[in-house]
Structures are given as structure tokens and as C-alpha cells.
Amino acid sequence: MARRKKLYEGKAKILYEGPEPGTLVQYFKDDATAFNAEKRATIEGKGVLNNRLSEFFMTGLANIGVPTHFIKRLNMREQLIRQVEIIPLEVIVRNFAAGSMAKRLGLEEGMALPRPIIEFSYKDDALGDPLVPEEYVIAFGWATQQDLDDIVALALRVNDFLSGVMYGVGIKLVDFKIEIGRVWDNDFMRLIVADEISPDSCRLWDIETGAHLDKDVFRRDLGSLTDAYTEVARRLGVLPTNVTHATKPTLIN
Ligand code: TMP
Ligand code: ASP
């Protein structure tokens, strides 16, 4: 088969032209970056794990009626997705203080927040994805007030779903980031969950031990990232065996 046309390459994924109009193929790389790509590494197996985990979360969301871009997984590193127009915002939901919020406000990491807090960063690597108030989002036309209301509703549903699923396997969902895309069904515009949901874009702490099972393992040099992601996948029943450490080829269905 002729190689598909590459449309976009980001830090962790590549988008190729899809087989039908309105579809794309999303390829998960093994590359990890942090601090706006100041820190980089290639972590064998990360792309395979994130492809499976994002499939798992997006499929679960679809099953409870939350629309996503996911259509089907194609192979170990690729999935078929709906083409969307990405809203240039990182939508961050926080349940417990951590990361940049803990730093900005001088809070202890792990402090329960009074309620889920949603914040928006403007997606621009050159600027380091700055936090922006809703006022900016609307004034600069990145989204309308109605879009923002819909985005908040979507983000809270994703939060409840992911928190519950993770709680069920002994993991606390501290915070996460999602991206939202616009699609048109005839003249009707809808907002759907796009990009990926994986331990690259969440903070996940073991409820018993507090161990980090997310990209902070890489950001903060806390050990093996593949081991952490494999543990999340194993608990969720996403990977029947530890494929990344297999000593002989393992067939993944
Ligand atoms: P932060 O505390 O560093 O602002 O991160 C909040 C959440 O967003 C955390 O779950 C990690 C995720 N995140 C991304 O997915 N991409 C990013 O570029 C950053 C900075 C954070
Ligand atoms: N994804 C961002 C980067 O590469 C930051 C992060 O996740 O920490 O640079």
C-alpha cells in the first residue's frame, strides 16, 4: 500500500490522510517531551501503550454518550479518527492541586480542591501554552461563550468518567488535559473530544502508595515510564500481557 500523506507531525503523534474524506490516521510515536520540548527522550513502547489506552478511554466515553473523534484502532500504533478543527486550547481539569497550579498558588501537591477546576491554556508552543482567562478565549474568537459552556460540560463528564474508571483500579485522577474539536454534520456544528487521553496527558497517582503512574515519571526522573504506563494498562485490563517487555513477539489483537 502506498504510504499515506503526512498532514501534521507533533511532539508525540503524527497525523496522516485517512482512507475516507473527513477521516485521519493518528500515529502514536515513542517520543516523550516535557517543559515545552526542552527535555526529550524516546521511550520504547510508549506509543503502543498510549494508542491502546486512548482507544480504551475514548471507547468508554462514547459508550456513555460523550462524543469523541475515535473511530477504530487500526494496528499497534495507529487509529482511525474523525478529522476535526481543533480549538486552540488545552482544557485542563483539576481535582487535586499539583503541577503548575500547586506551584503558582504555593499549594501542597495532593490537596483536594473544593470542586473540579477547569482552566484553559492557549495552544502555542512558541509561547509555552500560556494560561488564559475565558475573556481572552471569547475576545480573540478561539471559541464562543456557547462553545465554552459546551466545553465545560464535556470536560466535567470526561472528568467524572475518568475519575470513576481510575478509582475502580486504585488510581486517583489528579488532573488531566483534553483537546476539543469542531465537526460539522451538514450545517450543524458539534464539539467532540479529540487528540488523545493517555498517561501523557493525565496525572495518575496510586491510591495506596501515591506512586506516579503518568508522564511526571519522565518529567521528574522518577523511574521507568513504560513500567508506569504498563501498570495503568494492566490494571484496566487493556493489555493482557506485558507486551513492551516481551521476550518474543506477542500478537496484539
Ligand atoms: P500542569 O500542572 O503542568 O499545568 O498540567 C496539568 C495537566 O495537563 C497534567 O495532567 C498534565 C497535562 N499537560 C499536558 O497534557 N500537556 C502539557 O503540555 C502540559 C503542560 C500539561
Ligand atoms: N507536552 C509538553 C512538552 O513537550 C509539556 C509537558 O507535557 O510537560 O513539552
Side-chain angles (χ1 to χ4, degrees), residues 126-145:
L127 299 174
D129 298 339
L131 186 67
V132 288
E134 281 193 25
E135 183 97 5
Y136 285 24
V137 175
I138 294 161
F140 290 112
W142 301 323
T144 64
Q145 182 64 61

Side-chain angles (χ1 to χ4, degrees), residues 14-41:
I14 304 173
L15 293 176
Y16 295 99
E17 210 169 60
E20 310 281 342
T23 65
L24 298 175
V25 173
Q26 177 164 260
Y27 175 98
F28 288 77
K29 301 195 279 186
D30 279 343
D31 298 350
T33 65
F35 314 118
N36 210 7
E38 269 175 40
K39 178 170 179 171
R40 298 166 172 275

Side-chain angles (χ1 to χ4, degrees), residues 68-84:
T68 82
H69 73 164
F70 181 82
I71 301 172
K72 67 173 180 180
R73 187 168 56 81
L74 297 171
N75 54 49
M76 280 175 65
R77 287 186 182 273
E78 294 179 325
Q79 47 184 244
L80 187 66
I81 58 170
R82 280 193 74 170
Q83 184 164 27
V84 303

